Every structure is written in structure tokens, then in C-alpha cells.
Amino acid sequence: MSSNSNKMGLMGLTTIVTVNMMGSGIILLPSSLAATGGIALLAWAVTAIGALAIAYAFAKCGMYCTDDGGMSAYAEKAHGKSSFFIASYTYYVCLVISAVAIAVSCVGYLEYFIPWLKETPIHTFVGVIAILIVTMFANVKGAKITGQISTITVWGIIIPVLGLSIIGWFWFDTKVFAEAWNPNDISAGSAIYAGMSLTLWAFLGIESAGANSGTVENPKRNVPLACMLATVFSAATYIASTTVIQGIIPNEVLAKSDSPFGLVFAQMFSPLVGEIITAMAIMACLGSLLGWQFTNAQVSKVAADMRLFPKIFGDVNKYDAPFKGMMIMLAFELILAVMTISPTLLKQFNVLVNLAVFINMVPYVLALTALGIIMRNADVNQKEYNNGIIIGSVAVLYSIYGAYSTGEEAVFYGAIITLLGYFFYGFIASREAVINKESS
């Protein structure tokens, strides 16, 4: 009895998964999706189904594989040690890209208070690198401080998005929504393709859902259920908030906005309320960026501890934070920020999102395709195995389509980045061969 007293229940786990998933992923999406029109809402429906399948499959993986490394550990079960490296490497690259994308989102909302940031692309770039530097150095005090800050700041976007989903309908205008439905006169299939990578971006984070099943009461029931409930809740909130905002703000105005949630609350209530929501969104971006940067530092540290990443990534300071690895990550982020400078902030954001989504599908596919062997090793019954294989197959096929939907440019550069990972692993494998030979 007492052994379960400190464990987390279904509602607690569902809340944590929801917070991890929502973060700042939605913050610029209404403006990005407005380029396609309201018909892009169809992409949300498809993405929600795919996200549910992914959530279920990762929950099962987390229940039956508790090795350090998360997705990388799952991948190794089916594809060997090289896949542990490739999954870690591509996830690392994805989070570097995601960090820059989140910083870009933050600058979009900061422009409301600091107009200088939007005067030229260079001014925007300065804002992006300043945010990346500040949040990275805020991580040097270790996991406890980072966790406390992120847990509070994430509500800065969840509250406005959830609030808009509930009360925004009082300002909803069917005429405005109808005019925004399909401004480019495209087919439903084209609309789904155009919005797929953007909507999938909002669900990234599902992979962490089943990571701590040992801290949960009745994990076999509660872990998959919490993942499903959190994904359904997030999907409903995303769809409702995006629909409402497209029925309040004219599409041509929304498509050009760098702070869509601040804009809609200003129109619903007053400029002051819009400013408050904008400030909350900035807070959420900073907290989300703080958390993801620390997560990525831990990903590289685990890989370094397994001698798959250079040793320097595993060195920690007195707060047990991998400071040197963080500085290397910051250097990569600053280089990427330079490479993706764009005349418009939304264009820069979309380029980064597409590339991040494609690269993240590599560890997704590697990990999800290991579900079968993970369940076999756990000796699950045939019914559970069959259900897992069916839902896992949907998750894999959806992930492949998600990668395809990012477009030719993202697929091209993402493939090059992934192939470079195999190039790097060749040196790691040869080094391990020498070590194993000497030890024998």
C-alpha cells in the first residue's frame, strides 16, 4: 500500500503529458496555416489520428523497455547499436533546429514590445541569438531549476490557447471563417499535405510520454490511457483554437501576423489584454526553450556515456549539468540561425519546422518499428501483441507520410544530415572494434 502512495495517478500523468506536448508548438501555427486557409483544419484531423497511434505505440515501448535513452534504446532493440547512435544523433539535430524555431516564435511576439526587432532580418537575427544565449546559460544550474521554471512558464501558452478554445466562440463570425476557408481554391488532399508538417510539429514531444512508467500507479493501464487522453485533449484544443481564430481575424491579416494569439485577444477584449497574452506567450516560449535545450543536453550526455558521442558531451559541472555539451549545442544553434535568416519571420519559422519534423521522423520510425520485438521480449499475450502491431503500423506509416509532407527541400537536406550521421558512426564503430580487440 505504501509503495504506491508516492506514485502518480492517471490525472497527474495526463497533465504532465499534456504540458510536455503543448509547450510552444502552437504559438505561430495560426499564422502559418492561414497561408493555406481554413481548409488546413483537415490536416489537424489526420494529424490527431496519427498522433494517437504514435502516443499509444510509444507508451507501449516505454512500458516494456526501461533502458536509458528513450527512443534510441527502443531502436536498438530491433536495429542494433548503430540505430541507437542514429536515433540520438537525429533527435539531437531535431532539437537544435526546434530550439531556433522556438526562439524565432519568441521574437515574433517580442516585436510587439520591441518594434526594432522587425525592422530588418538582421535585427530579427540579433533577437534570436540573444534569446538562445540567455536561455542556454539559464540551464547551467541543473535539472531542478530548469524543471521548476518550465513547469510554470508553459502555462503561459496553454492558458491562452485553452481559453480561446472555450470563450472565443462568442466572437466567432461565420462569414469571416467562410471567407478564409479556401482562399487559394486547392483540393482537400493538397490542403492536408500543406498543413501536415506544421500540425505534426505541434505534437512533437509525444515520444517522452512513456519514459517514466515506474513512477506511475498501474502503468500497464495508466500509461497508454494517459497518452491517449493527453493527445485527444491537445488535439481538441489545437483544432478549436485554430478554428476560432480563423473566424475572428480576417485571413489576410492573420497570415501576416507574428503574434496571432496576442492579436486575437486584443480584438476580442482590448489592446491591454492583447499585450498581457503576448507577454504570457513570450514567457511560455522562454520556458519551453529552456526545457528543450536541457533535454537535448541530456540526450547527448547519455550518448556520450555510451561512447557514441564525443566524451566532452558527457562532462558535467558542479550542478550535474553537461555545460560543455550545452556550449557546443549553442554554437550549432547560432550557426543554424545564421543559415536560416529570412526576409520574413514566418518564412524562417516554416523552413525550420519542416526540417525539424523530417529529421525527427527518423528516430520515430526507428523506435516505432521496434515495438514488435519489445513486446515479444516482454512476453505479452497475443491480443495485446496484435493490437500493438496494428496501431504501431499506423504510427509508422503516418510518420513516413509526415516526413514526405515536409516538402522536397526539407527531405533533401534532412536526408543529407541523416547520411552524415552514418558517416560519423563509421569512425565510432571502428574505434569500438579496436577497444574490443584490445580487451580480448
Side-chain angles (χ1 to χ4, degrees):
M1 190 79 175
S2 60
S3 63
N4 287 328
S5 60
N6 294 322
K7 290 195 173 185
M8 191 183 306
L10 176 61
M11 290 309 299
L13 182 62
T14 301
T15 300
I16 287 177
V17 175
T18 302
V19 168
N20 286 345
M21 207 182 309
M22 291 187 71
S24 60
I26 186 68
I27 204 163
L28 272 182
L29 286 194
S31 297
S32 298
L33 292 171
T36 303
I39 194 171
L41 289 170
L42 298 175
W44 278 121
V46 175
T47 299
I49 295 171
L52 282 168
I54 292 172
Y56 180 89
F58 274 132
K60 287 293 183 183
C61 287
M63 284 169 56
Y64 297 121
C65 177
T66 57
D67 297 355
D68 288 343
M71 287 193 296
S72 302
Y74 308 157
E76 185 180 13
K77 296 297 182 183
H79 307 291
K81 195 168 185 179
S82 65
S83 69
F84 191 108
F85 171 80
I86 293 299
S88 298
Y89 162 79
T90 49
Y91 193 53
Y92 179 88
V93 173
C94 171
L95 292 188
V96 167
I97 299 169
S98 298
V100 180
I102 293 171
V104 168
S105 300
C106 192
V107 169
Y109 279 75
L110 270 173
E111 287 175 352
Y112 185 90
F113 300 107
I114 311 175
W116 177 85
L117 289 170
K118 61 181 177 182
E119 289 181 2
T120 69
I122 297 300
H123 290 178
T124 300
F125 166 73
V126 170
V128 170
I129 62 170
I131 289 169
L132 290 171
I133 291 172
V134 169
T135 52
M136 186 65 79
F137 276 94
N139 268 311
V140 299
K141 289 291 185 73
K144 184 176 180 180
I145 299 298
T146 297
Q148 290 173 342
I149 294 173
S150 298
T151 301
I152 296 170
T153 57
V154 73
W155 295 98
I157 191 60
I158 292 180
I159 291 172
V161 173
L162 184 58
L164 181 64
S165 302
I166 297 171
I167 66 173
W169 298 102
F170 292 104
W171 287 265
F172 185 83
D173 187 331
T174 54
K175 183 179 179 182
V176 172
F177 183 77
E179 290 175 349
W181 177 250
N182 194 2
N184 303 314
D185 194 27
I186 62 175
S187 66
S190 297
I192 292 171
Y193 174 83
M196 182 67 74
S197 63
L198 291 169
T199 53
L200 181 53
W201 158 261
F203 284 98
L204 295 188
I206 296 175
E207 66 277 356
S208 64
N212 296 305
S213 58
T215 64
V216 181
E217 295 176 359
N218 192 4
K220 188 172 182 180
R221 169 187 177 271
N222 287 342
V223 171
L225 191 55
C227 291
M228 303 297 278
L229 289 173
T231 304
V232 169
F233 175 80
S234 299
T237 305
Y238 287 154
I239 294 170
S241 62
T242 308
T243 303
V244 169
I245 203 170
Q246 289 180 324
I248 298 175
I249 306 297
N251 196 67
E252 63 275 11
V253 176
L254 183 61
K256 297 176 183 178
S257 174
D258 292 334
S259 55
F261 285 97
L263 177 66
V264 72
F265 274 90
Q267 183 160 324
M268 287 164 55
F269 296 103
S270 69
L272 176 60
V273 175
E275 290 175 3
I276 293 172
I277 295 300
T278 299
M280 290 176 67
I282 293 168
M283 178 185 74
C285 274
L286 292 173
S288 179
L289 182 54
L290 194 72
W292 279 118
Q293 285 180 323
F294 191 85
T295 296
N296 207 17
Q298 294 303 312
V299 168
S300 57
K301 181 182 180 300
V302 170
D305 291 342
M306 296 183 66
R307 297 188 300 192
L308 293 175
F309 273 26
K311 183 180 177 182
I312 191 172
F313 285 95
D315 292 343
V316 297
N317 62 14
K318 63 180 181 179
Y319 302 106
D320 203 32
F323 179 75
K324 294 178 182 178
M326 289 178 178
M327 293 303 100
I328 295 172
M329 181 167 55
L330 177 60
F332 288 144
E333 290 172 357
L334 299 183
I335 292 169
L336 182 63
V338 172
M339 292 172 62
T340 58
I341 292 176
S342 172
T344 67
L345 184 140
L346 274 176
K347 183 177 180 181
Q348 184 181 13
F349 175 77
N350 291 342
V351 168
L352 290 167
V353 165
N354 283 331
L355 187 56
V357 168
F358 174 82
I359 293 176
N360 203 45
M361 292 305 101
V362 176
Y364 268 33
V365 171
L366 286 173
L368 291 168
T369 50
L371 177 58
I373 190 170
I374 288 173
M375 288 192 297
R376 285 297 191 203
N377 289 340
D379 291 325
V380 303
N381 61 54
Q382 192 62 39
K383 181 179 179 181
E384 184 176 355
Y385 177 82
N386 291 341
N387 289 340
I389 288 298
I390 292 170
I391 297 174
S393 297
V394 172
V396 171
L397 293 173
Y398 168 77
S399 298
I400 293 171
Y401 182 74
Y404 165 75
S405 71
T406 59
E408 292 181 8
E409 186 177 23
V411 172
F412 175 80
Y413 288 109
I416 296 298
I417 290 170
T418 303
L419 290 174
L420 280 172
Y422 282 99
F423 170 73
F424 298 143
Y425 184 73
F427 293 100
I428 295 170
S430 62
R431 182 194 64 191
E432 288 298 301
V434 171
I435 293 173
N436 292 336
K437 186 176 181 181
E438 290 176 349
S439 62
S440 60

